[in-house]
Amino acid sequence: EYSIVEQMDPDLPTIHLDVGEILWKDDHPNKALKELYRELQIDPGGAEADGEIGTIFVEQHEPRRAIPYLKKALRLEPGLELIHKQLGTAYMIEKDYRLAESELLKAVQHDPDGSAHYELGLVYRAEGRRVDAVREFESARRIKELRSGATGGEAKEGSTR
């Protein structure tokens, strides 16, 4: 269905990234991964494809596959807050709470939907740090309330999509 775009110039930088993102949003992660891997062949120094691949693996609960891609994306572009959140989530799934906390603390600096605060709260709760967990859950709740008030409706759960 996206082959017409590829027929125009399949080696055009970002074309496979764009198609991969569309496929992922349309809930076709395996097809999206194929496009994103192709993007990496064309532009191995582009952080976006690595970040998207890592994020797909995090959402599929495959943190060991996600972590190398997310780390590479951050090496290429250290300021990607959403990737810090995904890497923190991957470490949390792996129960490496020290590394999860480190990444999520970076992510909460730019947390438009409160999800990074929420996940940091989960890390603190898993570590038995109740006061810290409550603080982060409360921050997440406040952000969601503010967002809901700004949009006039219910806030949706965060994602990098």
Side-chain angles (χ1 to χ4, degrees):
E1 66 193 28
Y2 300 102
S3 62
I4 291 173
V5 175
E6 291 181 7
Q7 289 173 8
M8 290 196 277
D9 186 354
D11 293 328
L12 187 67
T14 74
I15 194 161
H16 295 280
L17 176 65
D18 294 340
V19 172
E21 288 176 344
I22 291 167
L23 288 166
W24 181 33
K25 288 177 184 177
D26 286 345
D27 202 25
H28 300 286
N30 293 329
K31 290 179 181 178
L33 285 170
K34 180 182 173 190
E35 293 297 325
L36 294 166
Y37 289 136
R38 179 73 177 111
E39 181 67 28
L40 286 180
Q41 291 174 340
I42 295 167
D43 183 13
E48 295 88 359
D50 285 298
E52 295 288 338
I53 291 169
T55 299
I56 290 171
F57 286 139
V58 168
E59 289 196 4
Q60 293 178 332
H61 297 281
E62 296 186 52
R64 290 186 181 168
R65 293 180 74 187
I67 290 169
Y69 289 101
L70 297 170
K71 288 171 74 173
K72 181 181 173 201
L74 288 171
R75 272 194 310 275
L76 295 169
E77 286 190 45
L80 296 171
E81 289 93 355
L82 291 174
I83 302 304
H84 284 292
K85 179 188 172 287
Q86 293 298 326
L87 186 54
T89 301
Y91 286 134
M92 183 178 64
I93 294 168
E94 286 287 299
K95 296 184 178 11
D96 189 335
Y97 299 124
R98 183 182 59 80
L99 289 176
E101 178 183 1
S102 174
E103 293 301 324
L104 291 168
L105 283 170
K106 295 171 190 168
V108 296
Q109 301 306 311
H110 177 77
D111 187 17
D113 63 1
S115 61
H117 283 282
Y118 180 80
E119 296 208 9
L120 184 56
L122 292 175
V123 168
Y124 288 150
R125 185 174 67 188
E127 293 179 314
R129 295 169 57 183
R130 185 182 180 285
V131 172
D132 292 328
V134 168
R135 181 189 67 237
E136 295 304 323
F137 292 144
E138 181 60 25
S139 293
R141 186 190 61 75
R142 276 195 313 272
I143 291 168
K144 285 185 182 235
E145 282 179 358
L146 286 171
R147 186 171 177 209
S148 177
T151 60
E154 196 171 310
K156 294 184 179 181
E157 191 63 31
S159 167
T160 61
R161 296 193 228 186

